[in-house]
């Protein structure tokens, strides 16, 4: 068995990550359903480890010391993206869409807990197979997995990955057909220019004009982003110690998220730091990719024995409910073509990821015409705000649901 130290483990995660990119480019079905490259690469290594485990010949032992810091750093950038000024400036459609998504995330957990009760499983199985992995995706599921393990749910990481992957596939497959049926049912014909390309989402969602940076400015902004991120993670650690002092069960990500949101909104109000949000997003995405690859490489897939049927039943019920709820989303968001396309995005990110949502909406827009309001509202909620709310919802269930 090969034993890898901290640096070697991160390097191995990088190799797995690029293997995922290669597979997604080589296999069209992986691209079609927007399977994340880090997940594909990490699962490839996990499957090899499962094969070796079945033959009682373990392949490697990883030093995952950096896995938690990478995870915390990513969720700190999620907090930094939670700008209340941006939410307010985007208008009531974004606020309403966020409220609908937040409400449905709670419904997902209640449904999951009901399925867990029917199969005599730990109730937190329902939360992990609910909003933690469907609304949250693999990143949120894996980030919260240690907290679910601490609550008594065995094999939480394996459950999280399986539920998240199944949700991603369903989100990519079901969104387009469901919205097509809805449009026919309500006589929606699309925009006046069918076949037009979808309205692109601005690189800077706050509407600031992007200027070309000099090398010195780019270097300064990168340095500022790294230092700010490190300070947010540091301060988040002190917040976590405060939660521990009052005996509240919190995943390691919450402290950084809360501090990140506080820093972002103070900066919005004062403009003291002039946060380089794009650079922080880039750093967060890098941390996320390495975290996912590392977490999945260390996955023990053999722990899933006995969970197949409950996961399948839960997924079937969740898919049916999100499709039905999309009718309410369509009606509340305006009963027009943009509202229908938003419904497609809703299915995409409530079952999978924002990438699923964008793929579904692009497919609809290419067929029926541009939907500019949908391409503003859905990405803002799916990529930024719902992750923050969902983390608080999951934390609430972990702390206050009796089990």
């Amino acid at each position: 068995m090969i034993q890898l130290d901290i640096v070697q483990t991160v390097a191995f995660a990088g190799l797995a990550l690029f293997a995922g990119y290669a597979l997604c480019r080589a296999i069209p079905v992986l691209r079609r359903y927007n399977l994340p490259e880090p997940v594909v690469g990490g699962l490839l290594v996990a499957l090899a480890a499962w094969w070796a485990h079945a033959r009682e010949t373990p392949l490697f032992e990883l030093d995952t010391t950096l896995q938690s810091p990478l995870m915390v750093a990513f969720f700190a950038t999620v907090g930094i993206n939670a700008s209340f000024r941006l939410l307010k400036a985007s208008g009531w459609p974004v606020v309403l869409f966020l409220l609908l998504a937040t409400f449905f995330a709670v419904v997902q957990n209640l449904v999951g807990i009901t399925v867990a009760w029917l199969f005599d499983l730990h109730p937190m199985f329902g939360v992990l197979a609910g909003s933690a992995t469907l609304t949250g995706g693999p990143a949120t599921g894996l980030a919260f997995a240690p907290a679910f393990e601490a609550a008594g749910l065995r094999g939480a990481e394996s459950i999280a990955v399986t539920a998240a992957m199944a949700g991603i596939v369903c989100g990519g497959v079901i969104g387009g057909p469901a919205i097509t049926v809805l449009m026919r049912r309500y006589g929606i014909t699309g925009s006046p220019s069918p076949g037009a390309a979808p309205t692109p989402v601005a690189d800077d969602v706050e509407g600031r004009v992007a200027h070309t940076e000099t090398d010195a400015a780019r270097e300064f902004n990168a340095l500022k982003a790294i230092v700010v991120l490190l300070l947010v993670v540091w301060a988040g650690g002190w917040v976590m110690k405060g939660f521990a002092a009052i005996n509240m069960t919190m995943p390691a990500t919450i402290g950084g998220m809360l501090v990140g949101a506080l820093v972002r909104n103070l900066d919005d109000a004062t403009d003291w730091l002039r946060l380089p949000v794009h650079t922080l997003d880039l750093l967060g995405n890098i941390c996320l990719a390495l975290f996912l690859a590392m977490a999945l490489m260390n996955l023990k897939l053999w722990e899933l024995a006995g969970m197949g049927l409950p996961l399948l039943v839960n997924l079937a019920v969740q898919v049916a409910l999100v499709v039905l709820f999309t009718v309410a989303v369509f009606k509340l968001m305006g009963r027009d073509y943009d509202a229908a396309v938003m419904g497609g995005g809703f299915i995409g990110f409530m079952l999978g990821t924002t990438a699923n949502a964008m793929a579904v909406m692009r497919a609809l827009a290419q067929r029926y015409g541009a939907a500019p309001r949908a391409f503003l509202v859905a990405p803002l909620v799916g990529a930024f705000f719902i992750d923050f709310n969902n983390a608080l919802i999951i934390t609430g269930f972990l702390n206050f649901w009796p089990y």
Side-chain angles (χ1 to χ4, degrees), residues 3 6 55 59 63 65 75 112 118 146 206 211 213 231 240 268 271 327 345-346 369 375 384:
Q3 292 186 327
I6 295 176
R55 287 154 181 78
L59 296 178
D63 185 340
T65 302
F75 279 93
L118 290 173
E206 290 181 281
H211 299 286
E213 290 182 322
L231 290 172
M240 294 308 301
D268 283 350
D271 211 26
V327 177
F346 186 86
F375 276 82
F384 298 155

Side-chain angles (χ1 to χ4, degrees), residues 72-255:
V72 173
F74 165 68
F75 279 93
T77 64
V78 171
I80 290 170
N81 275 316
S83 167
F84 297 121
R85 186 175 74 180
L86 175 59
L87 181 62
K88 181 180 178 181
S90 302
W92 71 265
V94 172
V95 176
L96 177 57
F97 201 61
L98 176 60
L99 290 174
L100 291 170
T102 302
F103 170 76
F104 194 75
V106 175
V107 171
Q108 285 179 325
N109 290 338
L110 295 176
V111 169
I113 289 171
T114 303
V115 172
W117 175 75
L118 290 173
F119 285 92
D120 197 25
L121 297 174
H122 195 289
M124 289 301 101
F125 168 88
V127 180
L128 184 56
S131 77
T133 51
L134 297 180
T135 300
T140 302
L142 285 169
F144 278 84
F148 284 99
E149 289 274 5
L153 179 62
R154 294 185 58 191
E157 288 190 351
S158 300
I159 295 169
V161 172
T162 305
M165 292 293 287
I168 287 170
V169 172
C170 289
V173 172
I174 291 167
I179 298 304
T180 301
V181 171
L182 182 145
M183 289 175 63
R184 290 173 180 168
R185 169 68 177 80
Y186 288 93
I188 305 296
T189 57
S191 73
S193 54
T199 303
V201 180
D203 287 337
D204 189 333
V205 292
E206 290 181 281
R208 290 193 295 264
V209 177
H211 299 286
T212 303
E213 290 182 322
T214 64
D215 288 343
R218 189 179 299 111
E219 181 179 327
F220 179 78
N221 279 334
L223 178 62
K224 183 195 291 188
I226 291 171
V227 172
V228 167
L229 185 54
L230 289 172
L231 290 172
V232 168
V233 171
W234 184 10
W238 286 103
V239 172
M240 294 308 301
K241 289 182 179 180
F243 285 132
I246 58 175
N247 296 318
M248 287 196 70
T249 302
M250 293 287 179
T253 58
I254 288 294

Side-chain angles (χ1 to χ4, degrees), residues 20 24 30 33-41 138 165 168 292 353 356:
C24 287
L30 299 180
Y33 297 129
N34 300 292
L35 296 183
E37 292 86 353
V39 172
V40 173
M165 292 293 287
I168 287 170
L292 283 175
T353 64
N356 286 85

Side-chain angles (χ1 to χ4, degrees), residues 301-342:
L301 292 174
W302 50 90
E303 293 179 348
L304 271 175
M307 292 291 185
L309 183 59
L311 283 169
L312 187 61
V313 171
N314 177 72
L315 183 65
V317 176
Q318 298 281 10
V319 167
L321 281 177
V322 77
V323 171
L324 290 173
F325 191 77
T326 300
V327 177
V329 172
F330 165 72
K331 292 180 177 179
L332 290 170
M333 296 308 299
R335 300 176 67 103
D336 57 8
Y337 172 63
D338 272 281
V341 176
M342 267 184 254

